[in-house]
Amino acid sequence: VGDNLDRVAAALGSAAGRADAIVVTGGLGPTPDDLTREAVSKWLGLPLRRDPELVRRVADVFGRLGRPMPEANLRQADLPEGAHPIAPEGTAPGFVVERNGVVLAALPGVPWEMKAMLDGTVLPLLARRAGAAAIVSREVLVIGVGESATHERIADIVDAQTNPTLAYLAGSGRVRVRITAKAADEDAARRLIEPVESEVRGRLGDAAVPDHASLSAALGALLIEREATVAVAESLTGGLLGAELTEEAGASDFFAGALVVYTDEAKARVAGVDEAILAGPGAVSKEAAGALAQGAAARYAADLGLSTTGVAGPAEQEGKPPGTIFVGACWRGRVETRGVRGYGDRANMRALAVTAALDLGRRIVS
Amino acid sequence: VGDNLDRVAAALGSAAGRADAIVVTGGLGPTPDDLTREAVSKWLGLPLRRDPELVRRVADVFGRLGRPMPEANLRQADLPEGAHPIAPEGTAPGFVVERNGVVLAALPGVPWEMKAMLDGTVLPLLARRAGAAAIVSREVLVIGVGESATHERIADIVDAQTNPTLAYLAGSGRVRVRITAKAADEDAARRLIEPVESEVRGRLGDAAVPDHASLSAALGALLIEREATVAVAESLTGGLLGAELTEEAGASDFFAGALVVYTDEAKARVAGVDEAILAGPGAVSKEAAGALAQGAAARYAADLGLSTTGVAGPAEQEGKPPGTIFVGACWRGRVETRGVRGYGDRANMRALAVTAALDLGRRIVS
């Protein structure tokens, strides 16, 4: 909804007509285009009041950041009459209010502030109001098998189930099979999921990543189990492989480091790729992928080296078209490489290469 | 909207009641939970027909990927009667259909497929239908000044303007001021934007990034102008700084490479950080940030070295709390560092560090 008072208020009216709860994100900042407070007030037919406790909290945030509080931020302490504030994570407080049995939660648009309030306040509140029922989801991550081919293997399970239900989420070489159950409590919901998940995993074999929602977490767990470390050498992915491996806290237990070697000169000088490979098969080749994986492992004294190289496009490189991708792995001296046919835009090519490298890594280690 | 035929059809009815155009994303895949085709058919009151030309195109996609086409993918060639297909980018065709003057475009949910069809087919179609009017937006990227402080400097411009209008988008240490104008054609809209943008930039001084929508593009342009290159050494950002610098094609003109040195051992051995720094001020210190920037420049023989180090949390490190962040830059031998107070979750801390390092880089180079 655009930054327009009447349109936001109308959208709230429309949402209230077809749902029991409304979550609004954004429009709680200090500038004049932040209209959520006013729009909710209009929808409720009740005025805004400035909350002295919130004034103090917003001022505290600026105090901690060591910055003076601009006058405009005082608007962030305004609440529609009858609303309950949610303490600010950043500078914007959220709030919850009820009208004719419909709960409305207004949260900031900054993702981390929104998530903290959603998980800490809003979801528990809605769960309490929903009563005894619990909804639990588990995801099975599938690599190297497309969405429709995944469905062909488990179609009868999907068709037979009403609780849990199954759904697919596909993108960039990964398919997630989401299994969702509803029951009186979370344990009961999990007991409904378990046999279905186990059957799905059985049908998908090693295309299903064991017991983790992300490939990097699955590889990290394997490495910790083997008291081993990983280092990476990236060309087309430019740092994304390292970033994915270090996304969660605790990565220092298995992640040694990364080299991003974008130019031929860097590949030779920093990652130790043989000049003969660069002059022969080229930087985009399975030979280069293997040498990069070996170079990463050697440079960081890691047990596992992983690598990516390829043409992300839009232009071709070394006469190779966009979508030419090779990944490599070197596990305690043993080297494997894999060619991947990339598709889509530059971001998708890079995501596909990260997925392929992590998948090759978990297969060579396990 | 959930994967439910009646609810999707009802949402289409509701959208048609308040808009002239509807864009639907997702639900065009081959599995039974992909219900957009059926829901649009229900909303139109017209049956689905299998399009022989689309059957051939979907089969072609699988041919190019060298994979057999599962039977389920034939559903992707079904179209509501009267709909015009949009050729598939991946395996899912989109379509456009009209009912009582409302245009509906159904696009795949995979982001790169959706974007290609939106830019290539849907937006031009809607622009033609909208007639002569053109809407153009420009963004001014602001670094190091918060949303409300930005507003204080340009509030009178925002208040005085009706065309163009100004809006703010804030997050992770960056504020974007979006200036949007509506006119008879694009050139006329740009002429309305120019004087307002110039005035906004004048008020914001060097907090406004010159003429580029991203910090990495601004830094890249500066480096190319000076025939210089950049290399980075990353700790807490784990590869994100390199990934951001290489996001757009052409990065090899200025990006030499990156080191991701997560452990103390890697910082010393691979990035050449003095053991005395690691044992004294520690890996999370301005001294380490400076040494990392120098090490990156030296290792890749680059003109500019940039670095990040810090505590992303949730645990403290070296007795330093989460949110302790230092970035460094080394430009042709001259070193500068900056301390940043991080906030929010781990992802936000990492994003703040990337922003601060790129901003320090553009300031030391310019």
Side-chain angles (χ1 to χ4, degrees):
Chain A
V1 188
D3 294 329
N4 175 292
L5 184 61
D6 291 330
R7 286 205 294 274
V8 177
L12 295 177
S14 158
R18 58 196 192 96
D20 303 313
I22 307 171
V23 179
V24 179
T25 62
L28 296 179
T31 57
D33 57 355
D34 289 309
L35 295 168
T36 298
R37 290 170 293 257
E38 285 75 5
V40 173
S41 160
K42 181 166 183 167
W43 172 67
L44 291 167
L46 292 171
L48 290 175
R49 307 265 187 225
R50 187 150 296 176
D51 184 314
E53 168 67 16
L54 284 181
V55 171
R56 207 181 49 74
R57 276 178 174 277
V58 172
D60 277 357
V61 171
F62 280 91
R64 281 202 304 277
L65 293 171
R67 295 210 302 246
M69 179 173 73
E71 177 73 20
N73 283 75
L74 284 176
R75 287 185 61 224
Q76 298 189 285
D78 292 344
L79 285 182
E81 206 172 271
H84 301 279
I86 307 174
E89 298 285 334
T91 67
F95 61 85
V96 176
V97 71
E98 186 167 340
R99 182 196 171 194
N100 298 336
V102 174
V103 178
L104 180 143
L107 308 181
V110 176
W112 70 270
E113 300 183 25
M114 182 275 287
K115 284 181 204 159
M117 291 188 191
L118 193 75
D119 292 341
T121 303
V122 179
L123 293 181
L125 169 73
L126 295 180
R128 280 197 304 279
R129 290 179 61 102
I135 295 179
V136 174
S137 280
R138 283 268 298 173
E139 286 185 0
V140 177
L141 177 61
V142 185
I143 307 292
V145 177
E147 184 181 3
S148 48
T150 298
H151 179 62
E152 287 195 342
R153 297 203 203 169
I154 62 172
D156 58 311
I157 306 178
V158 174
D159 292 344
Q161 291 297 332
T162 54
N163 188 24
T165 56
L166 288 84
Y168 302 96
L169 302 159
S172 298
R174 313 184 188 194
V175 175
R176 293 170 192 279
V177 180
R178 190 173 54 200
I179 309 171
T180 307
K182 191 172 176 180
D185 59 48
E186 293 198 0
D187 281 345
R190 279 197 199 90
R191 282 193 301 272
L192 289 172
I193 290 173
E194 262 167 34
V196 177
E197 180 181 352
S198 163
E199 179 69 19
V200 166
R201 289 188 176 279
R203 299 281 184 90
L204 293 168
D206 71 353
V209 176
D211 204 32
H212 287 276
S214 83
L215 260 179
S216 51
L219 177 57
L222 270 176
L223 290 170
I224 289 171
E225 200 182 299
R226 282 160 181 67
E227 297 183 15
T229 56
V230 60
V232 308
E234 312 187 41
S235 182
L236 89 159
T237 51
L240 290 175
L241 181 54
E244 179 140 344
L245 281 164
T246 58
E247 198 171 320
E248 300 298 329
S252 44
D253 293 343
F254 61 82
F255 182 75
L259 307 171
V260 180
V261 281
Y262 221 60
T263 59
D264 275 15
E265 191 200 339
K267 285 181 183 74
R269 211 159 62 95
V270 181
V273 175
D274 197 322
E275 302 277 5
I277 290 176
L278 298 171
V284 178
S285 66
K286 62 183 199 309
E287 291 82 357
L292 285 167
Q294 282 181 293
R299 179 69 74 187
Y300 286 99
D303 301 276
L304 174 66
L306 293 179
S307 70
T308 64
T309 183
V311 187
E316 64 170 30
Q317 191 186 324
E318 301 177 350
K320 290 149 190 163
T324 310
I325 297 171
F326 296 94
V327 298
C330 173
W331 172 242
R332 294 176 174 164
R334 182 162 60 87
V335 175
E336 283 186 27
T337 61
R338 194 191 281 175
V340 179
R341 193 89 61 95
Y343 53 87
D345 61 11
R346 197 173 156 88
N348 198 61
M349 304 271 189
R350 287 167 37 125
L352 285 168
V354 168
T355 299
L358 293 172
D359 192 47
L360 187 61
R362 79 165 172 110
R363 286 171 188 275
I364 202 170
V365 172
S366 63
Chain B
V1 188
D3 295 329
N4 176 291
L5 185 60
D6 292 330
R7 286 205 294 274
V8 177
L12 295 178
S14 158
R18 57 194 193 98
D20 303 313
I22 308 171
V23 180
V24 179
T25 62
L28 295 179
T31 58
D33 56 356
D34 289 310
L35 294 168
T36 298
R37 289 170 293 257
E38 286 75 6
V40 173
S41 159
K42 182 167 182 166
W43 172 66
L44 291 168
L46 293 171
L48 290 175
R49 307 267 186 223
R50 186 151 299 176
D51 184 314
E53 168 67 16
L54 284 180
V55 170
R56 206 181 49 75
R57 275 177 177 277
V58 172
D60 278 356
V61 171
F62 280 91
R64 280 202 305 276
L65 294 170
R67 294 209 303 246
M69 179 173 74
E71 178 72 20
N73 283 75
L74 284 176
R75 287 184 61 224
Q76 298 189 285
D78 292 345
L79 286 182
E81 207 173 272
H84 301 281
I86 306 174
E89 299 285 335
T91 69
F95 62 84
V96 176
V97 71
E98 185 168 341
R99 182 195 171 194
N100 297 338
V102 174
V103 178
L104 179 143
L107 308 181
V110 175
W112 70 268
E113 299 184 26
M114 182 275 286
K115 282 181 207 160
M117 291 188 192
L118 194 74
D119 292 340
T121 303
V122 179
L123 293 181
L125 170 72
L126 295 180
R128 279 197 305 277
R129 289 179 63 101
I135 295 177
V136 174
S137 280
R138 282 268 300 173
E139 286 185 359
V140 177
L141 177 61
V142 185
I143 307 292
V145 177
E147 184 180 3
S148 47
T150 298
H151 179 62
E152 288 195 344
R153 297 205 202 167
I154 62 172
D156 58 312
I157 306 177
V158 174
D159 292 344
Q161 291 298 330
T162 54
N163 187 25
T165 57
L166 288 83
Y168 301 96
L169 301 158
S172 298
R174 312 184 191 194
V175 175
R176 291 170 192 279
V177 180
R178 191 174 51 200
I179 309 172
T180 306
K182 193 171 174 178
D185 58 48
E186 293 197 0
D187 279 346
R190 278 196 200 90
R191 281 193 300 273
L192 289 172
I193 290 173
E194 262 166 35
V196 177
E197 179 180 352
S198 165
E199 179 69 20
V200 167
R201 288 188 176 280
R203 300 279 185 91
L204 292 168
D206 72 354
V209 176
D211 202 33
H212 286 277
S214 82
L215 260 180
S216 51
L219 177 57
L222 271 177
L223 291 170
I224 289 172
E225 199 181 300
R226 283 159 181 65
E227 296 183 18
T229 56
V230 60
V232 308
E234 312 187 41
S235 182
L236 88 159
T237 51
L240 291 174
L241 181 54
E244 180 140 343
L245 282 164
T246 58
E247 198 172 320
E248 300 298 328
S252 45
D253 293 342
F254 61 83
F255 182 75
L259 307 171
V260 180
V261 282
Y262 221 59
T263 59
D264 275 14
E265 192 200 339
K267 285 181 183 72
R269 212 158 61 94
V270 181
V273 175
D274 198 322
E275 301 277 4
I277 290 177
L278 299 171
V284 178
S285 66
K286 63 181 198 309
E287 291 83 356
L292 284 167
Q294 283 181 293
R299 179 68 76 186
Y300 286 99
D303 301 275
L304 174 66
L306 293 178
S307 70
T308 64
T309 183
V311 187
E316 64 170 31
Q317 191 186 323
E318 300 177 352
K320 290 150 191 162
T324 310
I325 297 172
F326 296 95
V327 298
C330 174
W331 172 240
R332 295 176 175 165
R334 180 162 62 86
V335 175
E336 284 186 25
T337 61
R338 192 191 284 175
V340 179
R341 192 90 59 98
Y343 53 86
D345 62 10
R346 195 173 157 86
N348 200 59
M349 303 272 189
R350 289 167 36 124
L352 285 169
V354 168
T355 298
L358 292 173
D359 191 47
L360 186 61
R362 79 165 172 109
R363 286 170 188 276
I364 201 170
V365 171
S366 63

